[in-house]
Amino acid sequence: MLQTVLCGAACAAAAYLLGSLSFSIIVTRLLYHKDIRTFGSGNAGMTNVLRTFGKGAAALTIVGDIGKGILAVLLAKWAFGAFTAADPIYGAYIAAFCAVLGHVYPVYFGFKGGKAVSVATGTIIAIKPVLILPLLAVFFIVFLCSKMVSLASICCAAAYPAVTFLCFHFVAGRDVVLTTCCAAVIGGLVIWLHRSNIQRIKNGTEYKFGRKKK
């Protein structure tokens, strides 16, 4: 039991430190000597990088943020499998939550980060790759209809617990209550981080791709 707790703590710390590597900030500082948080929406995220510095910087940002989520979860799954008798899925969700937390409150950048969509995507891929397929379908359908990345991200976060329940109940055959609750916590956090976007969506002032900002 003690070994499992220590392993969980180590995985949590490692995932938080990995999550704190905010690639939107790293990329814009290295390439442009600018801080993305001082431009556009002020958010340290891929969408703001895309709108401010273009596709190349945005691509580097999303690859880095998704990659750190994948790495954090894979390390935790390996550690739980190698050093404990517990199901690695426990380590996976500990790492997923802490990587998201690190992205939102990065220790290296004054605890001011992004809204965690990309890093959460990486953790989902590493936990169970099949989960990402229906979530991508939700994202693209909502985005194509609304032209709003924020609304598409919010809908994905809302769908995440339901998709997890269906996958782990009918396909994976694992602890469906644990996995669904963990997905709900992560999805709920992502939705809460988009609360300003939700208000702008209600007001009809949220940015839409392909339209000039008023």
Side-chain angles (χ1 to χ4, degrees), residues 62-101:
I62 196 168
V63 168
D65 284 342
I66 289 176
K68 72 187 182 185
I70 292 173
L71 181 59
V73 170
L74 290 181
L75 283 173
K77 289 170 78 172
W78 169 80
F80 264 66
F83 301 112
T84 77
D87 190 329
I89 198 69
Y90 294 104
Y93 277 107
I94 289 171
F97 178 76
C98 291
V100 167
L101 203 62

Side-chain angles (χ1 to χ4, degrees), residues 23 38 90:
F23 280 89
T38 63
Y90 294 104

